[in-house]
Amino acid sequence: LNIVDNLEGSDFITPAIVDRDPVTIAIGTEGAAPVLARQIKADLEARLPSSLGALARIGKAFRHAADTLPMGRARRAFWSEYYTKTGPASMSKGEAATKAALDTLLAQHLAEAPAEGHVVFAGAGPGDPELLTLKARRALHEADVVIYDRLVSPAILELARREALMLSAGKEGFGAAMSQADINALIVKHASAGAQVLRLKGGDPAVFARLDEEIEACEAHDIAFSIIPGITAASASAAALGQSLTKRGRNTEARLVTGHDMQGYADQDWKSLARAGEVAAIYMGKRAARFIQGRLLMHGAAANTPVSLVENASLPNQRIVATTLGQLPSALAEAALTGPALTLLGLAPRDAVVPTLKQEVAQ
């Protein structure tokens, strides 16, 4: 028994249906909001032309002919053009005209030279899928191969096409990692085979991400590439604190530095960083915390200089450790951070922001 608008009195519920046979869209609210489901249905009914079903049926009958196109980008481009341009434009002239237009479109695509491989270097941002740029989102949809870093969140990887080849090229400081030479070879291999390759990096691809080495590998094999910037962890971490990286009267520059490099702990211009009011975002600085503290104190930094560590910036499990330079190693040990964390030297959380974001703050 099903009673409209009576969830408790119904043994089963059914979704609202938009029928453009063979295209069928079901809208369900689990009985919570039938009126909302009807509104969504009315909106979709108005948006989807009545000819959509015929367009899909013609396309289905033509699939065997379209299979002569190579799998992947070439075939996707053909069907995309049919459903967005050629098909709708010809349907007004009847189904026979649409079938003829499909034959013409297929001949045009078969005559085209095979697509050359291309590499897109894109930033996935700090982890929140909503901070992914529209351009990076489109690149995920178009990629045949996605080569991604350890810091790219699973929620972002879920946005890739189901048939895309997903390859992990994760790296971890002082831990297991795929060598840079192997990553370069992987990029070149798939792009040389004609694939649309997306090299997806956490944050921004141009900030401590070995971008130049991978570009040089592409250039050595005459492979075209493009770069899509992303929101870097420094910006996301400062936002989590409710602070800006620069402030009039406090600091005229903000530095992005790394805690370690290929040789181990990285040396910096410690004298400059130790000055009062300086702000620096230290990437990969957890393991180097005691080294960084020692160098800064040695060069005159005040022990009460504020330091904030932001773990998993922008994600639901984000945590902030607010401490001082003098207490940095002990605060880190007590917090036992396990996720990627960025160290912000010279910045403390803004008091009004932390309770609002319900973050765990260790003082």
Side-chain angles (χ1 to χ4, degrees):
L1 181 68
N2 175 270
I3 306 173
V4 176
D5 282 344
N6 187 339
L7 180 61
E8 292 74 18
S10 297
D11 299 308
F12 67 92
I13 56 176
T14 60
I17 298 294
V18 177
D19 187 5
R20 297 289 187 271
D21 183 44
V23 178
T24 306
I25 301 171
I27 305 116
T29 65
E30 297 185 0
V35 172
L36 176 61
R38 284 197 293 271
Q39 289 175 345
I40 295 172
K41 174 182 177 178
D43 184 49
L44 289 175
E45 291 276 11
R47 288 171 180 265
L48 302 179
S50 58
S51 61
L52 187 64
L55 201 64
R57 285 195 302 274
I58 294 170
K60 179 182 179 181
F62 198 78
R63 291 192 70 86
H64 69 283
D67 286 348
T68 55
L69 287 166
M71 282 285 289
R73 201 176 356 159
R75 202 174 294 183
R76 287 200 311 275
F78 168 78
W79 285 117
S80 177
E81 188 170 348
Y82 166 66
Y83 283 115
T84 60
K85 297 178 183 177
T86 304
S90 59
M91 277 302 294
S92 60
K93 302 173 185 176
E95 294 193 13
T98 302
K99 292 175 183 177
L102 257 180
D103 287 325
T104 302
L105 182 64
L106 179 60
Q108 291 171 352
H109 279 256
L110 287 172
E112 292 177 356
E116 293 185 354
H118 184 270
V119 179
V120 176
F121 297 99
D128 183 350
E130 292 189 3
L131 294 180
L132 191 68
T133 66
L134 291 174
K135 200 167 186 178
R137 176 67 183 86
R138 187 163 59 250
L140 262 169
H141 175 71
E142 295 172 351
D144 302 309
V145 179
V146 179
I147 303 173
Y148 60 92
D149 282 349
R150 179 179 64 92
L151 297 181
V152 179
S153 67
I156 288 176
L157 295 177
E158 280 294 318
L159 299 175
R161 292 184 301 105
R162 298 299 92 186
E163 66 270 28
L165 178 61
M166 309 296 289
L167 300 173
S168 172
K171 289 189 176 186
E172 186 171 359
F174 301 104
M178 177 182 287
S179 73
Q180 189 60 51
D182 287 343
I183 295 174
N184 295 349
L186 204 58
I187 294 170
V188 169
K189 171 187 171 184
H190 289 284
S192 297
Q196 179 82 6
V197 177
L198 174 61
R199 178 68 173 104
L200 194 60
K201 299 168 178 280
D204 184 281
V207 179
F208 302 121
R210 311 285 284 272
L211 175 64
D212 288 283
E213 296 168 57
E214 295 175 7
I215 287 176
E216 288 164 5
C218 291
E219 289 177 329
H221 293 81
D222 295 323
I223 296 170
F225 68 89
S226 57
I227 302 171
I228 301 174
I231 295 175
T232 188
S235 298
S237 297
L241 300 183
Q243 298 283 14
S244 67
L245 289 169
T246 59
K247 182 180 179 181
R248 191 167 12 176
R250 182 192 66 197
N251 63 308
T252 57
E253 63 181 17
R255 305 188 191 193
L256 308 183
V257 301
T258 180
H260 67 82
D261 55 24
M262 294 175 67
Q263 282 71 47
Y265 296 144
D267 254 321
Q268 313 292 343
D269 182 358
W270 300 112
K271 186 176 180 179
S272 296
L273 286 174
R275 291 186 307 227
E278 292 296 315
V279 172
I282 306 173
Y283 292 71
M284 300 167 282
K286 276 194 306 183
R287 294 176 184 268
R290 190 174 293 277
F291 171 79
I292 291 168
Q293 178 203 48
R295 288 294 187 273
L296 287 170
L297 293 176
M298 183 188 306
H299 286 80
N304 64 353
T305 300
V307 177
S308 298
L309 294 101
V310 183
E311 178 189 40
N312 298 316
S314 82
L315 295 175
N317 59 343
Q318 172 181 288
R319 283 202 299 163
I320 294 176
V321 177
T323 185
T324 63
L325 183 61
Q327 298 296 317
L328 176 57
S330 57
L332 255 179
E334 184 179 348
L337 303 180
T338 57
L342 184 125
T343 305
L344 284 168
L345 175 70
L347 291 181
R350 193 179 295 274
D351 292 338
V353 171
V354 176
T356 304
L357 297 179
K358 298 180 181 179
Q359 295 160 328
E360 179 181 336
V361 181
Q363 296 286 356

